[in-house]
Amino acid sequence: GAVVSQHPSWVICKSGTSVKIECRSLDFQATTMFWYRQFPKQSLMLMATSNEGSKATYEQGVEKDKFLINHASLTLSTLTVTSAHPEDSSFYICSAMGGINEQFFGPGTRLTVL
Amino acid sequence: GQNIDQPTEMTATEGAIVQINCTYQTSGFNGLFWYQQHAGEAPTFLSYNVLDGLEEKGRFSSFLSRSKGYSYLLLKELQMKDSASYLCAVSPPGGTGFQKLVFGTGTRLLVSP
C-alpha cells in the first residue's frame, strides 16, 4: 500500500524559533498533498493544499506567512512554522493523494512550543 | 460551506454492534469518507460512499443517504482494538476527483469487555 512518512515525529522548540516538518510519499508520486492540524480531542482541520510546482492554497484563517509550504518535488512537501508560539503547539498531519479518490495520511508530527 | 456533526462519544461492549451517525449540511459533495484514528496516530481509511446505499467491508459497513444528508458507520463484532475515534469527512465539490477533505467533529468510541 501507499506509504507517507513525516519527519520529525515530534519536536520541542523555544518560542520564536522556526520548525520545518517534512512529508514524503515513499512509493508513489503525489502532485497534491494536504496539511492538517489537530488540537487535543478535536478533529482534523485542513490548513492548506500543497501542489507540486505551484503556490499552496491556504484555508480561510490560516496565515500563509506563518505557515510556509514548499512542494518542491513529486514526493516531498514541507511545512515551516515560522516564529512559533505556544498556541502553535499541535499535531500536524500531512496526506498525499495516491489516486483520484484516496488520501494517504502520514503518521503526524507533534509540535510543542515552550 | 460544510457543517458536519457526529456524536462526541459512544460506548459499547465487546462483541456488540455499534452505529456511528454523521449528519451534514453542504452545498454539495463528491463523496463521504470514514476514517479511524487511534490516539496520537494518523487517520486510516475505512470506507467511502458516493452513491446512496450500503457499502460493506468486512466488519465495517457505511451507509449514505444524500437526500437526507446522513451517513452512518456500522461496526460489527466489536473488538477492544476498535476503541478509537471515528471521523466522518466530506469531499467538497470542485477540483479533480476527491481532493480536499472536510472532517467532522469525530466520535470517540470506547469498547469495554
Side-chain angles (χ1 to χ4, degrees):
Chain A
V3 178
V4 175
S5 70
Q6 280 185 243
H7 178 80
S9 55
W10 59 269
V11 57
I12 301 173
C13 69
K14 292 182 178 180
S15 185
T17 61
S18 294
V19 175
K20 180 186 284 188
I21 303 171
E22 295 185 347
C23 176
R24 293 181 184 273
S25 56
L26 297 185
D27 50 1
F28 66 102
Q29 293 182 332
T31 56
T32 303
M33 292 184 175
F34 301 93
W35 286 97
Y36 296 85
R37 179 167 54 181
Q38 185 176 34
F39 292 106
K41 296 189 178 181
Q42 294 186 24
S43 193
L44 278 73
M45 294 297 294
L46 178 66
M47 298 176 66
T49 302
S50 172
N51 297 298
E52 187 268 338
S54 65
K55 291 183 179 180
T57 304
Y58 290 81
E59 295 298 302
Q60 191 172 9
V62 178
E63 300 176 58
K64 63 180 182 180
D65 294 330
K66 180 170 181 63
F67 299 99
L68 302 178
I69 292 173
N70 188 327
H71 196 152
S73 76
L74 287 171
T75 59
L76 173 64
S77 175
T78 60
L79 169 68
T80 301
V81 183
T82 62
S83 186
H85 291 284
E87 57 266 31
D88 298 324
S89 298
S90 187
F91 193 47
Y92 291 86
I93 303 175
C94 73
S95 70
M97 291 297 296
I100 294 177
N101 60 2
E102 191 164 1
Q103 286 190 34
F104 299 96
F105 286 84
T109 296
R110 186 161 302 283
L111 170 64
T112 301
V113 185
L114 302 177
Chain B
Q2 294 84 28
N3 188 22
I4 305 168
D5 292 314
Q6 302 177 236
T8 305
E9 288 188 353
M10 297 183 71
T11 58
T13 307
E14 195 174 13
I17 299 173
V18 70
Q19 177 174 311
I20 301 174
N21 296 325
C22 171
T23 58
Y24 60 90
Q25 297 87 39
T26 72
S27 54
F29 71 86
N30 288 331
L32 188 141
F33 295 73
W34 283 95
Y35 284 83
Q36 180 192 62
Q37 185 181 26
H38 286 97
E41 299 180 11
T44 55
F45 171 79
L46 290 179
S47 69
Y48 82 96
N49 296 70
V50 177
L51 301 175
D52 286 0
L54 188 67
E55 294 284 340
E56 296 186 79
K57 206 173 185 182
R59 293 191 300 116
F60 297 90
S61 303
S62 58
F63 171 83
L64 175 65
S65 169
R66 296 180 71 127
S67 61
K68 295 182 179 179
Y70 168 68
S71 173
Y72 68 71
L73 179 70
L74 194 69
L75 293 78
K76 303 176 184 176
E77 301 170 17
L78 280 174
Q79 302 174 10
M80 298 296 291
K81 67 178 182 180
D82 295 329
S83 292
S85 287
Y86 291 85
L87 311 176
C88 171
V90 165
S91 176
T96 303
F98 305 107
Q99 292 274 343
K100 69 179 188 180
L101 294 175
V102 178
F103 282 86
T105 50
T107 300
R108 286 192 298 276
L109 174 66
L110 176 63
V111 180
S112 58

